[in-house]
Amino acid sequence: MTTYRVAGKGRVDTGQPVTFTFDGKRFEGCAGDTVASALLANGVHLMGRSFKYHRPRGPVTAGSEEPNALIGTRRGAGQFEPNTRATVQEIWDGLETTSQNKFPNLKFDIGAINDFAYMLFSAGFYYKTFMWPKNFWHKVYEPFIRKAAGLGVSPTEEDPDTYASRNLHCDVLIVGAGPTGLAAARAAAVGGVNVVLIDENVECGGTLLSKPNAEINGMPSWDWLAAELVSLRSLGVKIMTRTTAIGYYHQNMIGMVEKLTDHLSDLPKDTPRERMWHVRAKQVILAQGALEKPLVFHGNDRPGVMLAGSAQTYLNRYGVLVGKRPVIITSHDSAWDAAFDLADAGADVRAIVDTRETVDEELQSQARMRGIGMKLSHTVTATSGRLRVSSIRVNPIDDGKAGDGLIIPCDALLMSGGWTPSLHLFSHTKGSLTWNEDQTTFLPKDTPEDCTIAGASRGLWGIENVLIDGASAGVKVAMALGKESQTRQHKVTHDRIGSGVSQIELPTDKSSGKAKAFVDFQNDVTAKDLRLAVREGMRSIEHVKRYTTNGMATDQGKMSNINGLNIAADALNKPQPQVGLTTFRPPYTPTTFGAFAGYHRGDHFEITRKTQIDSWAQENGAVFEPVGQWRRARYFPKRGEDMDTAVGRECRTTRAHVGIFDASTLGKIEVVGPDAVEFMNRMYTNPWTKLAAGRCRYGLLLGDDGFIRDDGVIGRMSQDCFHVTTTTGGAARVMNMMEDYLQTEWPDLDVWLTSTTENWSTIALNGPKAAKLLAPLVDGVELTEDAFPHMSCAECTVAGMPARLFRVSFTGEIGFEINVPAPMGRKLWETLWQAGQEHGITAYGTETMHVLRAEKGYIIVGQDTDGTVTPYDAGMGWAVAKTKKDFVGMRGLMRPDLVASNRRHLVGLLTEDGTKLEEGAQIVFDPHQAIPMTMVGHVTSSYHSDAMGRPIALALVECGQNRMGETVYIPMPDRTIAAKITSTVFFDPSNSRVKIPSGEML
Amino acid sequence: MTRFNAFNLLKNAVSSNKNWTEQWPDSQPKDEYDVVIVGAGGHGLGAAYYLAKEHGITNVAVIDKGWLGGGNTGRNTTIIRSNYLYDESAKLYDHSVDLWENLSQELNYNVMYSRRGVLMLAHNVHDVQSFSRHIHANRLNGVDNRWLTPQECKDYCPPLSISQHARYPVMGGALQERAGTARHDAVAWGYARGAAARGVDIIQNCAVTAIRRHPDGSVAGVETAKGFIKAKKVAVSAAGHTSVVMQTADVRLPLESYPLQALVSEPVKPIFPCVVMSNAVHAYISQSDKGELVIGSGTDQYTSYSQRGGLPLIEHTVAAITEIFPMFNRMRMLRKWGGIVDVTPDRSAIISKTPVPNLYVNCGWGTGGFKATPGAAHTFAWTIAKDTPHPINAPFTLERFQTGRLIDEAAAAAVAH
């Protein structure tokens, strides 16, 4: 048994010792301890150093609001995390913990020198200096400041743990399983609705865990709690502990994080460390309770100075006395209750110092009964003790001023400035707040969500009151869901419902400029910093916060916001509501990145979309590239081939014989309905009315700004059905755009759109022998030039599979695109591959596709166009209908700048010395200019062309179509390259090769 | 105005910091001003500062419905860079960077411009082509930007994973070394202090409800929560709410407003030396001087005025960060928030005269207005003072959406900005 452990107290298992280390030293605690309770049981209060002044700090709370006791926690390789709250982290055998922000060690920290120069480091000091000489900020001052700032150190290894996420739908979600939440859960569940009750703590009970002496309906509170939990479970309530509601989002969506393994010594296999829950609840009840408010006085941050309620929690939940000779400083009754509990557990309570002139006689007599000295109308003006409080100075308050002091030796100072309702999640809903002058705090008012706030969160105090309020909330939400329920009577005895007054700063005998009375403990913001900010013109609480950093620590103002507001309002001489409260933002407590990422790590960061033919490509040695979420085969190298050699061979073979290409990633949209043709006329620049069924046409899609957005070949399968193809990257965008127009602009059209990208496997066959290879396999269409000319489409069977067959070419060769139901894709591919062997077939990837199309001057939207290119710029004015009434982009296309004479046109470029140009290289007319140069275009595509025996390039060049044959210049870092402007069609300009020679024997 | 320097800091420390004076007074509106600027963010305050300092126009009010610097100035991730593609943008942002480099001295307020470099990652062939285009254009425009191999990226930013087994392996990056970050609040405060010292009234918590016009159509002043204020000229610089204010003068702006979210981690010791942006995986990140990892997200997919974004986008953003920097998986998010950004069809800003005589507008900065603060404010002041565009903002007109003379950085870029 350790020194400060009290036999018979607490809920920890004293029969089950647990050992862990802190800064390399072994400590023993009990199963159920947190790091903080275990260290306190060993008499250790010093657990950290503060952010700015490196002042020694110990825990000030016993919960997730802790600003001081932050530690590093480590399990094994890659399993380290900084800034863990020692008050929340449960101990387990082998846990390694370390203190932070100190050098060389926690007890002697050189950084504490800042504390002596604190006058220099006043609020916002860094805005006023470090400006000379100019370049010293980045080189000298900033690195120095950065090194001094920060708390713990970042992890540096990859995290081996996994994280999960789940969805949850329920009738009622109750956040907080204290008495309010428990009563609400019962009332709602009895009404027959499905209830989820969560709590961030290890166990349910909230304040009851710290108040074992209270009796509910004649039962000791802990017995009542145990019975109630059994009963709730039997009513079907889902109870989740170690689960924090981190944020409240639109339409009653709550994000919750459940911690699954951080308390375990041995990790179960395949269990995630944390799980993110996305909850949609029809009704939400917030029962988050209240947080105790520290008092603001000189030296209130010394280790051993702690909230009185937290000391009570350490005693009753963990069986730990935080001090054997504590003193209480309070302006609220609740601290008296804590003093009595500590005294009854054997502590020598040296005094209760209360700032109020009068205190309830019953409390005074209880104190007298225990022999505790009382100092009413007194204040604390100083604390002493280097690494832990050893004495305090207590002074009488006379007319608001501190009189002559008296030193009281002690080993802990327990403070209470009253309680602040927890309004965090309520504020996430953009709920409005109202100022309550009696309680000197904000209370919840209205919220746009289906959300009820109950208990201490709305300023109700005492177990009996909150049980009743919780039950009413439960009944209310059950009724809102159409169920009946009723409240139960609760009789609570031995509960002390206190009241108190709010103190801004405790009266002091020090000059106010000298007092170090901390408001934000972690960030070292003092009352005088807040007053300085106001003096310097910071009038909004947001300015005060940002100028001083008050409330920006890892507790996000849970300890400091209300005290900060009271002091700022006092300095401004304005009521608090006029100064305002800073916005609470998610997450409620700091939340692991991994929990947000969930399953989306590594290969699962985003899905990898693969075609049905991908596995064949993999087996045949393809090199892949990512194209959006798709993985596409880029080329198929044979042994010893690099990309250029492989691509050269694939190009050559395709032009000489036949090539096979997986085009399945092309976007496909089925446009069907009586008005399908009208819809197509309005969407695309081309005319569609006269396109016969069984024919296809290249379609060009513009944005309403008149610039090219997408393109693709579109087949008219029947009068009322179009098979639309889009670019691979544009599939979803085009579908969205079409739906957007259909639903918002043209609801009168009778058309249905279906994305069929993944319903079809699409295989392209190109080359002089394509028809010869395919014809024997096709049933239902005769593959001759007359029966099935270029730009035809048909439904037929190919190798026995139902197919949509297109005669199209993106290479300038005879070409077919065969669409079969997706799962048949690989079978068709293998059939064609087999049949192609005698024709010298090659498989080719995206790189060869790019080269072959560039040789023909076919554009790739997104590479040769960039959202600033019109059809005319791209040399495709022919695709714009001249007689249509309207199409998307028609008016945009008429704007003056889009028809100006100096636009950039897509042209071909051939370098004079045969160099291959760099894609993205900029073009100028005059290579001898000084920088900045006047640029007139850029290279969009550039390849070595096997067919041409030289490099070719496509480029956008100012007035390029009027400059055929002229020379332009490409200034590179080392030299300038000259190139001649040519047509974009480098190969077979007469397009003779797409024709199947007449009379060819098929 | 007390000058800020080490001597005065020391002197005031000795007197317990009791003699500092307010950095700007709490002004109440006068009946009439030469210029009223709507919106007290960095852009509006900066314009007031330059009006007073460079154009001698000091009878100026900057009016805001909330507290100064409380909009996107105080909500952004503070990235500053100028490696834009088009000449027009490169000139504007480079002008801004020129001003950033001297801004602390200019304002006598440490805005902490930290020239730590912005590295943009390429994850696919399209990124590589696009960055190459940017780098070549920047070089010929005299703007700093260069290509790094994956290993060079890693050397520049050690936490980066360049594993070829990643879902989207890093194929390289474009680095602008002159780029960096600054302290956002200090920019607003520094301009406010400098403007106030030159006689500008800064009027907070006073919503402008309408722009009033003379019968001839020209501007007469603004209706506010504190009554009518007469003004010879009105300039609107109200970010996401600009379109709402301008509507009252019958000027319809081509703007859509979207929520944009950002977040910070708990503070840690220095681990991240630069700024990294990745559009392909949708995230950008730096580390503040306080030690927090500052992480930006993309815009939400729907238009909204609610400064409250959704959870899924944040999950995606954090996943993107841990994908590129796996070592941050156990770091914790401390706080996330949203702002409202005003987006134009070509993703470039509008700094322009309007069809209403004596009414001027500076808006449409989308997700990238902070970096432009000094340059935009400086040229906007010129436009207001002289009733004519500054050569640098001349292309950023409102008319360009009618003529089609767009500056489409989004279409041209593989990067968010």
Side-chain angles (χ1 to χ4, degrees), chain B residues 166-368:
Chain B
R167 175 68 182 87
Y168 295 112
V170 172
M171 293 177 72
L175 171 67
Q176 186 177 31
E177 284 178 284
R178 192 186 177 201
T181 60
R183 172 86 186 107
H184 54 15
D185 290 328
V187 177
W189 299 340
Y191 274 126
R193 174 167 164 266
R198 287 170 172 81
V200 171
D201 283 353
I202 299 164
I203 301 159
Q204 302 180 72
N205 300 309
C206 175
V208 169
T209 51
I211 295 167
R212 195 195 282 181
R213 295 162 70 182
H214 291 299
D216 70 359
S218 64
V219 151
V222 291
E223 310 280 358
T224 77
K226 295 183 177 174
F228 176 67
I229 303 172
K230 221 168 131 185
K232 296 197 181 83
K233 294 179 175 181
V234 172
V236 180
S237 200
H241 287 84
T242 301
S243 45
V244 181
V245 176
M246 292 296 284
Q247 193 99 48
T248 66
D250 297 326
V251 179
R252 205 171 154 217
L253 291 174
L255 294 178
E256 286 184 329
S257 294
Y258 291 87
L260 178 71
Q261 299 187 79
L263 62 103
V264 292
S265 73
E266 293 181 321
V268 287
K269 295 291 178 191
I271 183 79
F272 204 86
C274 57
V275 181
V276 171
M277 307 175 67
S278 166
N279 194 53
V281 303
H282 308 127
Y284 37 106
I285 174 170
S286 64
Q287 188 179 16
S288 73
D289 287 342
K290 195 163 180 284
E292 298 154 336
L293 297 176
V294 182
I295 293 167
S297 176
T299 49
D300 280 16
Q301 293 200 334
Y302 49 87
T303 55
S304 167
Y305 287 106
S306 143
Q307 289 176 330
R308 176 190 178 203
L311 179 59
L313 198 74
I314 286 295
E315 290 181 319
H316 180 70
T317 301
V318 174
I321 291 298
T322 57
E323 169 70 7
I324 320 175
F325 307 101
M327 65 146 117
F328 292 146
N329 211 47
R330 290 173 96 92
M331 290 285 289
R332 298 191 195 93
M333 181 194 296
L334 178 58
R335 180 181 177 87
K336 68 188 181 72
W337 63 93
I340 303 301
V341 298
D342 45 331
V343 177
T344 63
D346 66 357
R347 303 297 191 274
S348 286
I350 301 165
I351 313 176
S352 180
K353 296 174 65 172
T354 70
V356 176
N358 302 327
L359 179 63
Y360 309 87
V361 68
N362 169 19
C363 64
W365 289 97
T367 62

Side-chain angles (χ1 to χ4, degrees), chain A residues 81 84 101 127 131 138 142 159 161 278 535-536 539 543 591 593 606-607 866 895 897 919, chain B residues 17 22-23 68 105 114-115 129 132-133 167-168 183 269 289 315 330-331 333 401 403 411:
Chain A
E81 55 278 332
T84 303
N101 203 31
Y127 300 123
M131 288 181 268
H138 176 57
E142 189 183 42
D159 180 0
D161 286 338
H278 296 171
R535 194 174 305 131
E536 292 200 73
R539 290 176 192 84
H543 284 157
T591 304
F593 280 6
E606 272 184 3
I607 54 158
D866 62 3
R895 290 183 292 177
D897 198 65
E919 286 167 351
Chain B
N17 289 313
E22 56 188 6
Q23 298 185 4
L68 71 85
Q105 291 71 31
S114 170
R115 193 179 170 283
Q129 288 165 344
S132 164
R133 186 179 170 195
R167 175 68 182 87
Y168 295 112
R183 172 86 186 107
K269 295 291 178 191
D289 287 342
E315 290 181 319
R330 290 173 96 92
M331 290 285 289
M333 181 194 296
F401 301 102
T403 64

